[in-house]
Amino acid sequence: LMPDLAKKQELGRHAWYLFHTTLSRYPDEPTTEQQTKLKNYIELFAEFYPCGECSYHFQQLLFKNPIQVKSRQTAALWGCHLHNLVNEHLKKDIYDCTTILEDYDCGCGEFSEFNNE
Ligand code: FAD
């Protein structure tokens, strides 16, 4: 199959949406187990990301910028920063991370297995 840039970009937009929304719902005070699991989840997201070039590049970025799993705020800001490093690499605009948690409201209300405060 030939590379298809439009599809690759569509994949990227959907993947980033899930990535940021997941981080915006991570607990404020995660347990040690949740911290380990988030780290594993992001590492596997990177390793199995369907675009090979993207996966390779993102794994290098993860190595240099280890995921911050201490709280929702630090994880979400870290995710925004990583996306900005990809934006920089692709010569795209840098995103303002100050309202990252509000920007990625999942629309799923209060109830969540993870976080129901
Ligand atoms: P996207 O970058 O897809 O962003 C979607 C929307 O998210 C934007 O419109 C904006 O509203 C918001 N946004 C932008 N920046 C941020 C931020 N920092 N934090 C939060 N929200 C933000 N493509 C390649 O060609 N080469 C690669 O190596 C590559 N690596 C990738 C690695 C990963 C892990 C992912 C998920 C995607 C990768 N992509 C790569 C795809 C690329 O990042 C874009 O998704 C794609 O080019 C479409 O870009 P876009 O301009 O529509 O906006």
Side-chain angles (χ1 to χ4, degrees), residues 8-9 12-13 15-16 20 45 49 51 53-54 57-58 79-81 83-84 86-87 89-90 92-93 95 97 100 104:
K8 182 174 155 186
Q9 291 179 334
R13 283 189 284 274
W16 284 125
H20 294 300
F45 168 84
Y49 191 77
C51 149
E53 161 215 353
C54 310
H57 179 234
F58 198 64
C80 192
H81 175 62
H83 190 168
N84 273 334
V86 174
N87 289 341
H89 173 70
L90 299 176
K92 291 180 191 277
D93 292 345
Y95 188 87
C97 296
I100 189 73
Y104 288 89

Side-chain angles (χ1 to χ4, degrees), residues 29-40:
E29 293 177 5
T31 63
T32 307
E33 192 184 2
Q34 287 170 331
Q35 294 181 40
T36 305
K37 284 181 171 174
L38 184 67
K39 185 170 179 289
N40 292 340

Side-chain angles (χ1 to χ4, degrees), residues 92-117:
K92 291 180 191 277
D93 292 345
I94 297 306
Y95 188 87
D96 176 3
C97 296
T98 49
T99 57
I100 189 73
L101 292 178
E102 295 86 73
D103 295 350
Y104 288 89
D105 174 4
C106 72
C108 25
E110 296 301 305
F111 179 81
S112 134
E113 286 289 314
F114 247 161
N115 205 324
N116 43 26
E117 82 263 43

Side-chain angles (χ1 to χ4, degrees), residues 56-74:
Y56 178 79
H57 179 234
F58 198 64
Q59 287 185 81
Q60 287 187 320
L61 289 179
L62 281 185
F63 189 73
K64 288 187 211 140
N65 305 272
I67 179 168
Q68 305 291 307
V69 294
K70 290 287 177 203
S71 71
R72 180 198 307 231
Q73 180 79 18
T74 58

